[in-house]
Amino acid sequence: EFLETLDISAESKQKIGELKMIGEELVDAEADELIDEGVSKDDAKRIIHAVASFKPEEGGKEETYGGSEPADGKAKKVDLEILKLENALKSAEKRYKDLGQLKKTMSSISIPVGYILDCKEKLKSLPEEKRDPVQKKFTAYVAMRDKVLKELRELRKEYPENSENWKAIAEIHEGSMQVISKNSNFKFGKLVTTHTSRVFREQRQAMADMKDAKKALNALKK
């Protein structure tokens, strides 16, 4: 009876009748689905438009259970919560990986800096004819240090200016250039250890956040 009120062709009415799309099936139908079944494009649009006018508005009369929120509303909330948790998990995973790379790069600066100092001390006491092997090592360690410093400068771009990690990289960068004695090298080593230990704690927190997000996701998906 509903179809008889619509301005659509007899052929389209027949196709709908053959599909036996009544009630919720017709309400939930898509235009493309009707077209695929032989309904003309214009008629499909008219049917969808007419059916839409009979759908209840949001917040209107919708079936509830025990006065609770509609089932589809609950489903949407669950989907939204899952999306938030998945984003939180991705963020924590990235943070964990980035902090691991930062810690590794910070730690790697100590070796070349220490060897540069060692080579400098040896070069002072060696005669000119014996300096070449040590000079080559010195040049290699300087290149190694500069490579690490370049990596640290790149990593610093990932952190807000004046944040803990941003300042830590700046301090290590500056400190690596000021090692001129065993005492200053020892202080530099302590500086690096202080910063890598703090980064390690941040990394552990990122791991905890990852576990919490995974646990919450598993609970929602059950």
Side-chain angles (χ1 to χ4, degrees), residues 20 26 33 40 43 54 68 82 124 152 196:
K20 294 184 167 67
L26 189 56
E33 182 182 355
S40 70
D43 285 347
F54 285 89
S68 62
I82 288 175
K124 288 178 182 179
L152 285 173
T196 55

Side-chain angles (χ1 to χ4, degrees), residues 38 46 48 69 92 114 118 124 141 151 161 177 185 192 222:
R46 292 189 184 98
I48 295 301
E69 187 177 358
D118 186 55
K124 288 178 182 179
Y141 286 126
E151 291 174 1
E161 188 172 350
M177 299 296 184
N185 187 46
V192 172
K222 283 182 178 179

Side-chain angles (χ1 to χ4, degrees), residues 44-203:
K45 289 181 179 179
R46 292 189 184 98
I47 293 169
I48 295 301
H49 177 74
V51 170
S53 66
F54 285 89
K55 287 186 178 181
E57 295 181 1
E58 289 187 15
K61 294 181 180 180
E62 197 152 339
E63 188 175 0
T64 59
Y65 302 89
S68 62
E69 187 177 358
D72 62 339
K74 288 184 178 180
K76 287 179 181 178
K77 281 192 173 181
V78 170
D79 289 343
L80 181 59
E81 189 63 27
I82 288 175
L83 181 60
K84 288 180 179 178
L85 287 169
E86 286 176 342
N87 288 337
L89 177 58
K90 288 179 182 178
S91 176
E93 288 174 339
K94 184 180 185 304
R95 191 155 34 98
Y96 180 84
K97 181 180 178 182
D98 291 347
L99 289 168
Q101 182 60 49
L102 177 60
K103 178 165 61 69
K104 179 181 178 182
T105 308
M106 282 180 169
S107 299
S108 67
I109 192 67
S110 297
I111 292 176
V113 168
Y115 278 122
I116 288 170
L117 176 64
D118 186 55
C119 288
K120 282 182 178 179
E121 294 297 321
K122 287 180 179 178
L123 287 170
K124 288 178 182 179
S125 59
L126 286 173
E128 188 67 32
E129 65 272 13
K130 294 184 179 180
R131 288 167 62 94
D132 190 56
V134 179
Q135 184 65 49
K136 287 180 179 179
K137 287 184 179 179
F138 173 78
T139 302
Y141 286 126
V142 169
M144 186 186 299
R145 179 201 63 190
D146 291 348
K147 180 176 181 293
V148 176
L149 291 177
K150 182 180 179 181
E151 291 174 1
L152 285 173
R153 288 194 297 271
E154 289 299 314
L155 289 172
R156 188 171 61 177
K157 296 176 183 178
E158 302 297 320
Y159 299 96
E161 188 172 350
N162 292 322
S163 64
E164 287 292 329
N165 290 329
W166 190 94
K167 289 189 291 186
I169 293 171
E171 288 178 7
I172 289 174
H173 194 291
E174 182 180 358
S176 69
M177 299 296 184
Q178 297 176 348
V179 175
I180 56 174
S181 65
K182 289 183 178 179
N183 183 53
S184 59
N185 187 46
F186 176 75
K187 289 182 178 179
F188 178 68
K190 286 185 67 176
L191 173 70
V192 172
T193 299
T194 297
H195 287 311
T196 55
S197 296
R198 180 187 52 76
V199 172
F200 177 67
R201 290 193 296 272
E202 287 186 26
Q203 197 178 20

Side-chain angles (χ1 to χ4, degrees), residues 14-31:
Q14 182 181 349
K15 291 294 183 182
I16 295 295
E18 291 173 357
L19 290 171
K20 294 184 167 67
M21 280 189 169
I22 59 174
E24 290 184 1
E25 293 179 4
L26 189 56
V27 168
D28 294 334
E30 298 288 344

